[in-house]
Amino acid sequence: MTSIVVISAGISVPSSTRILADSLGQATVRALSSVDVVETSTSYDVIELRDLAHLLTDNVLTGFPTGSLADAVRRVAEADAVIAVTPVYTGSYSGLFKMFFDVLEEGTLQGKPVLMAATAGTARHSLVLEFAMRPLFAHLRADVVPTAVFAASEDFGGGSVRGGSLAARIDRATGELADKVLRRGTTLPDDPFENPTPFEDLLNDLH
Amino acid sequence: MQFGIFTVGDVTPDPTTGRTPAEHERIKATIEIAKKAEEVGLDVFATGEHHNPPFVAPANPPVLLANIAARTERIILSTSTTLITTNDPVRIAQDYSYLQHLADGRVDLMMGRGNTGPVYPWFGKDIREGINLAIENYHLLHRLWREDVVDWEGTFRTPLQGFTSTPRPLDGVPPFVWHGSIRSPEIAEQAAYYGDGFFANHIFWPASHTQRMVGLYRRRFEHYGHGTADQAIVGLGGQVFMRHNSQDAVREFRPYFDNAPVYGHGPSLEDFMRETPLTVGSPQQVIERTLGFREYVGDYQRQLFLMDHAGLPLKTVLEQLDLLGGEVVPVLRREFAALKPAHVPDAPTHASLVEKARSEDPSVELVETTGAPA
């Protein structure tokens, strides 16, 4: 089973960030089902960072995740692809959004297919995806799809019939994500507790 | 099973009074705490190593431990931890051997990598080499204590030709070594490779994490042929605050918890008690919680408690030690002993290591004999 994790940093209810997150999740499941010749089920589940806000602060202060945050971190580590969606705050991704990526273990997103998306009041913020978010995922060595999806408030009305609409961008980006997932196959992260590096190798690597 | 305390030597304002002890006061208080630990019947006193404020743990633990050795008779002196990354392993070999002689063998030590990033550059090291420094430096230290003449060439320190570390370990038996790590599987692997002890910090992380680290160490200990997995030598940290009435304990400790340097202003006391081994309550609650540790790490050999941190005044710390030594540890000793199978060893001591060396090679003439029981 292919697992898609959608991370939404929207705050309000309803939030346009969550609406976009769900659209991207559903479109990815559709894209995977349409090309996947093998009969495998695909699902997506959403991590709402608002629900984890206190636990994220605790994690930043104590160094370890607890409760539902520990569960969310594990789900991201085991996911075949991640869709990350943030509102634009003060010219960048939100602080809450960044905190989640700050507490992931090093290497969690390495090589993992990632789709980036953001929402804002106006289209003037759209380059946040390229100038703030893409460098973040480059640092995390994620495998980010070329198309990033930006939705301004105006995109949620009427745009879907014209070329270059939000719906078209969603389809292109999720198609790219599905391609990466299918090429990479289902993988689980290496577990250094199950397969430790033998000590002789650790010693020999010094010389 | 051994019970004791470990200190990080933090100089922290008492949040209930705003008063910060002077360095001199805190250092002298540490001596009083160690003496009290022996007086109430504990087995181990361990000190951290620090090179920066707000700590006055010694930069070189044998300085403090030698002083305590001269004021005590029985308690084992240890570290929590000795920085194997930024100290010269030659100096560790020499200083701790010397301490062994002064303390008539009442010495072991715990290797750690430290938790303060700038310590690496202060001593000319690269923090990205932390694991490799721990591996190479300990490999040299291990040889310096066991081979009279050492030729050495490594990556991180100047080579040695025909070098003899002095003084030689007491009775030709190096101090027992624990390797401490919160989260690096490489260190559990290292401890297992040498057949040394593994100490899980335990106090800052959930039990499930400690269980994985200890599980890996035990499995690899057996893999390297030192015994069965359940014979591996495991130590755990713990953190308690007690009053006879548990509500009193919670009320008194809460401001210290809420403002503690490590976890203050984050999770609630109740959350942290649920997620980590911290126990704030009655002596009976501490007994029950501590006995529960063996359910996820197996039968283990050493339990150390952090008692003198977060600005707690000396008077309170000494009262806590009275409760720990008087009401908690005697019960834990009895209960743990009743649960432990016969084939699970105790933590090695100088006396047991001398005994083992003799039994393995009776022809070996001991370098010296101790002047006092160890």
Side-chain angles (χ1 to χ4, degrees):
Chain A
M1 178 170 144
T2 310
S3 106
I4 310 296
V5 168
V6 183
I7 298 164
S8 171
I11 296 297
S12 56
V13 180
S15 95
S16 54
T17 300
R18 175 60 191 264
I19 294 168
L20 179 60
D22 277 322
S23 302
L24 291 165
Q26 288 154 9
T28 304
V29 169
R30 271 200 311 277
L32 281 167
S33 327
S34 66
V35 291
D36 196 352
V37 287
V38 189
E39 199 66 28
T40 58
S41 59
T42 301
S43 65
Y44 78 93
D45 71 318
V46 179
I47 295 170
E48 279 277 8
L49 296 186
R50 184 194 167 104
D51 300 343
L52 305 175
H54 280 269
L55 294 177
L56 279 166
T57 302
D58 290 351
N59 191 160
V60 168
L61 296 184
T62 64
F64 62 88
T66 55
S68 50
L69 175 58
D71 183 54
V73 165
R74 184 186 49 74
R75 275 147 65 205
V76 168
E78 292 173 2
D80 296 302
V82 170
I83 298 170
V85 195
T86 181
V88 173
Y89 280 15
T90 326
S92 186
Y93 39 70
S94 75
L96 182 62
F97 180 83
K98 178 65 158 48
M99 276 173 94
F100 184 76
F101 293 96
D102 284 346
V103 305
L104 294 178
E105 291 278 325
E106 195 181 336
T108 298
L109 292 184
Q110 185 165 328
K112 201 182 286 290
V114 169
L115 193 169
M116 312 180 301
T119 61
T122 80
R124 284 190 290 276
H125 295 294
S126 60
L127 283 174
V128 158
L129 283 164
E130 302 305 327
F131 286 89
M133 216 156 151
R134 203 176 287 275
L136 169 66
F137 287 106
H139 175 82
L140 297 169
R141 297 193 289 275
D143 185 6
V144 185
V145 299
T147 301
V149 179
F150 181 87
S153 299
E154 63 190 26
D155 285 303
F156 291 99
S160 63
V161 290
R162 297 198 304 273
S165 69
L166 176 59
R169 296 201 296 278
I170 287 173
D171 285 345
R172 187 164 73 238
T174 55
E176 291 165 1
L177 187 65
D179 281 351
K180 280 192 190 292
V181 169
L182 293 171
R183 272 205 301 276
R184 186 168 184 249
T186 306
T187 55
L188 276 179
D190 267 355
D191 186 343
F193 290 89
E194 287 308 314
N195 300 300
T197 307
F199 193 75
E200 289 89 344
D201 293 350
L202 293 174
L203 259 183
N204 291 333
D205 286 349
L206 291 171
H207 308 302
Chain B
M1 184 155 161
Q2 297 170 338
F3 297 90
I5 56 172
F6 65 127
T7 179
V8 292
D10 59 317
V11 182
T12 304
D14 182 334
T16 65
T17 62
R19 183 177 176 278
T20 307
E23 288 181 328
H24 181 74
E25 177 187 344
R26 181 71 173 97
I27 289 169
K28 290 298 185 120
T30 305
I31 307 274
E32 292 310 308
I33 289 165
K35 283 162 58 186
K36 183 76 171 179
E38 172 164 289
E39 180 194 316
V40 301
L42 301 182
D43 307 305
V44 182
F45 172 85
T47 176
E49 168 185 328
H50 276 288
H51 301 270
N52 50 288
F55 300 99
V56 291
N60 190 23
V63 175
L64 171 64
L65 298 180
N67 184 292
I68 296 171
R71 297 162 184 265
T72 53
E73 298 289 332
R74 189 190 51 78
I75 198 163
I76 294 171
L77 305 166
S78 187
T79 60
S80 58
T81 61
T82 296
L83 299 186
I84 187 63
T85 46
T86 50
N87 283 304
D88 182 350
V90 172
R91 286 301 303 272
I92 295 179
Q94 299 184 321
D95 289 344
Y96 285 86
S97 286
Y98 201 100
L99 178 63
Q100 264 193 318
H101 287 272
L102 290 178
D104 296 309
R106 288 188 283 135
V107 176
D108 58 43
L109 66 163
M110 190 199 306
M111 298 301 169
R113 280 175 296 139
N115 62 357
T116 308
V119 174
Y120 286 85
W122 288 338
F123 292 97
K125 301 293 192 285
D126 181 347
I127 193 169
R128 292 168 297 184
E129 296 283 2
I131 293 277
N132 288 334
L133 283 160
I135 289 169
E136 178 175 299
N137 285 347
Y138 183 65
H139 202 60
L140 172 56
L141 173 60
H142 197 264
R143 287 187 58 196
L144 290 168
W145 274 336
R146 286 164 178 81
E147 299 171 34
D148 285 341
V149 182
V150 170
D151 292 337
W152 165 266
E153 192 172 343
T155 306
F156 298 116
R157 110 177 273 298
T158 198
L160 298 168
Q161 284 297 323
F163 181 78
T164 298
S165 175
T166 56
R168 302 305 300 148
L170 179 67
D171 300 320
V173 173
F176 185 69
V177 169
W178 304 78
H179 299 264
S181 178
I182 298 182
R183 51 186 299 173
S184 302
E186 295 91 340
I187 299 301
E189 174 75 12
Q190 181 187 32
Y193 175 81
Y194 291 100
D196 293 340
F198 179 73
F199 190 90
N201 164 292
H202 197 210
I203 63 178
F204 296 139
W205 279 67
S208 56
H209 176 79
T210 299
Q211 183 176 24
R212 295 185 85 199
M213 285 292 281
V214 173
L216 169 62
Y217 161 67
R218 287 190 183 282
R219 211 166 61 242
R220 300 298 288 174
F221 182 93
E222 180 166 313
H223 167 84
Y224 287 114
H226 301 296
T228 57
D230 62 357
Q231 291 174 320
I233 307 297
V234 173
L236 290 186
Q239 192 183 0
V240 299
F241 188 87
M242 294 167 282
R243 291 296 178 198
H244 284 119
N245 178 339
S246 62
Q247 271 84 40
D248 291 343
V250 170
R251 196 177 312 116
E252 185 176 346
F253 189 65
R254 191 182 300 279
Y256 296 94
F257 176 86
D258 285 346
N259 295 284
V262 178
Y263 34 68
H265 310 286
S268 69
L269 176 61
E270 287 72 13
D271 284 347
F272 206 71
M273 279 176 61
R274 192 178 57 246
E275 296 287 347
T276 76
L278 171 66
T279 309
V280 181
S282 66
Q284 186 55 37
Q285 285 172 304
V286 168
I287 289 167
E288 283 163 21
R289 189 87 191 273
T290 308
L291 282 169
F293 296 164
R294 68 179 282 288
E295 285 163 24
Y296 55 86
V297 299
D299 291 290
Y300 64 109
Q301 283 75 13
R302 173 174 287 187
Q303 175 65 54
L304 300 184
F305 293 99
L306 177 64
M307 306 297 286
D308 68 327
H309 64 126
L312 288 165
L314 176 61
K315 175 170 172 290
T316 306
V317 174
L318 298 179
E319 288 165 4
Q320 291 296 307
L321 292 177
D322 275 327
L323 288 169
L324 187 66
E327 301 186 25
V328 172
V329 164
V331 181
L332 289 178
R333 250 188 236 292
R334 198 168 61 236
E335 297 283 329
F336 274 116
L339 292 162
K340 182 170 80 85
H343 69 281
V344 173
D346 290 325
T349 60
H350 184 71
S352 78
L353 291 171
V354 168
E355 184 63 31
K356 183 159 171 269
R358 274 185 181 139
S359 70
E360 281 169 3
D361 189 355
S363 70
V364 166
E365 193 165 328
L366 297 179
V367 178
E368 290 173 42
T369 51
T370 61

